[in-house]
Structures are given as structure tokens and as C-alpha cells.
């Protein structure tokens, strides 16, 4: 089962974040995403032809985030959108970040 086929799990505050080795392994499954170990986040910028396509993408990402109950930081401009995932309840990265990244990739592709 690939990451995009999984669903996010509720992680109570205090749950452990992924170990670096675990994050590195999951990172291999979401090409194009930057693994920022300094601030424990997963980041990718997407490019579009125009504002309409950008906002359409933002709305689709919002739908995925609400469906999974795992919400990224989203920065949008005329023809670009930057998505940042991290899991605040664990103070770092969780499998949920990689699941949502894979779902966003499936949407974009």
C-alpha cells in the first residue's frame, strides 16, 4: 500500500515525532518535496500557468487537508503555491505529513 492510499491517524500531543532515519525512508516516496530537518517540515513549491489554476489547486489541497484532518501551511501567489507540512502535536514530522504530501502529489500529477 502506497502512502497516498493510507489515511492520517490522530496523534495526541506528546506522541513521538519520526526519527531522522524513518523520515528519510518516507521521504524517498515523495519526490520533489524538501525535507527540512532544521524545522522538521516537508516543503514543496508548485508552479502553475495562472492565478485560476493556482487557486483551484489550493482549494483541492484544502479539501484533502480537511478530509485527512491534517492541515498544512499554504502560501499562494499568482502562479505558485508553497505547501509546508509538519505535525504540531508531535513537534516534528509524522507519517501523516508524508501521507498528505503523497496525496497532494497525486492531485498535482
Amino acid at each position: 500500500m502506497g502512502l497516498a492510499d493510507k489515511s492520517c491517524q490522530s496523534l495526541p500531543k506528546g506522541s513521538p515525532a519520526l526519527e531522522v532515519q524513518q523520515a528519510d525512508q518516507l521521504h524517498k516516496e515523495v519526490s520533489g518535496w524538501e525535507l527540512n530537518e532544521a524545522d522538521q517540515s516537508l516543503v514543496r513549491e508548485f508552479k502553475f500557468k495562472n492565478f485560476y489554476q493556482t487557486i483551484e489547486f489550493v482549494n483541492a489541497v484544502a479539501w484533502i487537508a480537511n478530509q485527512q484532518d491534517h492541515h498544512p501551511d499554504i502560501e499562494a501567489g499568482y502562479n505558485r503555491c508553497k505547501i509546508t507540512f509538519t505535525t504540531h502535536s508531535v513537534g516534528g514530522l509524522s507519517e501523516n505529513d508524508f501521507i498528505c504530501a503523497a496525496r497532494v502529489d497525486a492531485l498535482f500529477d
Side-chain angles (χ1 to χ4, degrees), residues 1-9 26 29 68 95 98-99 102-103:
M1 174 184 290
L3 283 171
D5 299 318
K6 293 183 176 184
S7 293
C8 291
Q9 303 298 313
L26 289 170
E29 297 185 49
Q68 294 299 310
E95 185 178 37
F98 294 91
I99 289 170
R103 285 175 174 249

Side-chain angles (χ1 to χ4, degrees), residues 16-94:
L18 292 175
E19 299 288 331
V20 173
Q21 183 179 11
Q22 294 170 307
D24 286 340
Q25 189 64 34
L26 289 170
H27 184 231
K28 293 175 185 175
E29 297 185 49
V30 287
S31 63
W33 290 82
E34 176 188 338
L35 182 59
N36 188 332
E37 292 180 11
D39 69 356
Q40 294 289 297
S41 65
L42 196 56
V43 181
R44 183 170 176 189
E45 187 165 313
F46 298 86
K47 299 287 187 180
F48 302 93
K49 291 181 182 177
N50 56 49
F51 184 71
Y52 178 78
Q53 287 181 352
T54 303
I55 296 305
E56 187 176 49
F57 178 75
V58 168
N59 287 332
V61 170
W63 185 86
I64 290 169
N66 280 326
Q67 182 189 42
Q68 294 299 310
D69 196 26
H70 193 69
H71 304 91
D73 289 334
I74 301 174
E75 297 175 35
Y78 174 77
N79 64 348
R80 64 165 194 83
C81 178
K82 180 179 173 184
I83 307 288
T84 304
F85 281 107
T86 191
T87 305
H88 299 288
S89 64
V90 303
L93 290 166
S94 72

